[in-house]
Amino acid sequence: MKKILFVGALLMQAAIASAQYSIEVEPFTTKPGVTFEDGEVMNILINYGDNEQANMAQFNITLPEGMVFDEGAFELDEERFPEVKVGRKMEQKFSVSYNAQADGSTIVVVKTDEDYFFTGNKGVALHAYFLTDENMKEGEYEIKIDRGVIAIPTAPGGGPSGISSVTKIAVSNTNAIRDINVDAANQKVYTVGGQRVTSKNLKKGIYVVDGKKVTVK
């Protein structure tokens, strides 16, 4: 009985530990026929423990049929990966790379070759531009992430691995979904460079609001 209880306690601890680590796409709505000019992006979140520091993340992401990543798709979020001052210059110490795999997924790697860590431990880390086929049917689709790794030097084994998630997204032709009220307090607004800004009193320009590029005039 004691052995069973001990094993059960270990499994519970493992479940609690794994729950704090996640790599996932933020849910969004898009439309058929998204082109380069639309500049639509999906946000990818990387989350880990409050008192931990990460210096690398890697994962495979699989898009639904009819959706592909645009050329030069992935960009670092400016809040999670701000430039640092080196001498008189500001430099980005992290890089993001990605490659298509034979199984239809795309492997994405965020890393640094120096002694730096992600800023913050929760929230949007990457923005990924995508395109959709004009014949993509309306409905609900899944974006899958698997084989995720978050490198945390102080964590047992160097950090969690085998992280996976499934995000449901919607594809719709309804024009009303495309109308965005940038004054709404609960909407997430970013500059095209990935920096999050307040939705109040936006200056004229192009912004990404809930994964869609909009123009404030």
Side-chain angles (χ1 to χ4, degrees):
M1 178 64 73
K2 289 184 178 179
K3 185 176 181 180
I4 293 174
L5 291 175
F6 177 71
V7 172
L10 287 178
L11 291 173
M12 184 175 292
Q13 289 177 356
I16 293 173
S18 62
Q20 68 181 337
Y21 303 112
S22 66
I23 303 174
E24 58 191 335
V25 174
E26 194 172 55
F28 63 92
T29 297
T30 186
K31 66 177 181 178
V34 170
T35 66
F36 170 81
E37 286 77 14
D38 292 316
E40 292 205 13
V41 298
M42 64 182 73
N43 296 320
I44 300 173
L45 295 78
I46 299 177
N47 304 315
Y48 46 90
D50 291 342
N51 298 314
E52 296 176 318
Q53 290 183 306
N55 59 9
M56 189 278 286
Q58 176 179 309
F59 58 91
N60 287 62
I61 180 169
T62 304
L63 300 180
E65 186 175 354
M67 178 179 290
V68 296
F69 287 117
D70 198 355
E71 185 177 350
F74 291 87
E75 294 182 351
L76 298 169
D77 182 79
E78 291 184 354
E79 291 187 6
R80 293 294 295 273
F81 304 99
E83 292 184 338
V84 297
K85 190 172 184 179
V86 180
R88 296 181 179 181
K89 298 181 179 179
M90 299 298 291
E91 296 182 2
Q92 175 56 260
K93 293 300 182 179
F94 279 86
S95 64
V96 55
S97 61
Y98 66 100
N99 286 288
Q101 303 297 293
D103 63 0
S105 69
T106 298
I107 186 170
V108 183
V109 180
V110 181
K111 67 176 184 177
T112 179
D113 294 325
E114 301 183 49
D115 190 21
Y116 289 92
F117 296 96
F118 295 11
T119 299
N121 50 11
K122 290 180 175 62
V124 176
L126 296 169
H127 308 282
Y129 290 86
F130 64 90
L131 311 173
T132 59
D133 190 283
E134 62 180 7
N135 296 317
M136 194 172 186
K137 294 182 179 179
E138 291 186 274
E140 189 175 73
Y141 293 83
E142 292 182 344
I143 297 179
K144 299 177 181 179
I145 285 178
D146 61 6
R147 290 162 276 180
V149 175
I150 302 176
I152 301 173
T154 58
S161 60
I163 300 171
S164 62
S165 64
V166 177
T167 298
K168 294 185 182 298
I169 66 164
V171 174
S172 174
N173 267 317
T174 306
N175 291 329
I177 295 178
R178 313 295 299 164
D179 295 333
I180 299 171
N181 176 14
V182 293
D183 292 325
N186 62 345
Q187 287 184 314
K188 295 182 179 179
V189 183
Y190 297 87
T191 65
V192 291
Q195 182 178 3
R196 188 170 181 180
V197 295
T198 178
S199 59
K200 295 182 178 179
N201 301 319
L202 288 174
K203 297 180 180 179
K204 293 181 179 180
I206 300 174
Y207 298 87
V208 178
V209 182
D210 289 346
K212 305 171 185 66
K213 184 176 286 187
V214 298
T215 302
V216 175
K217 299 180 179 180

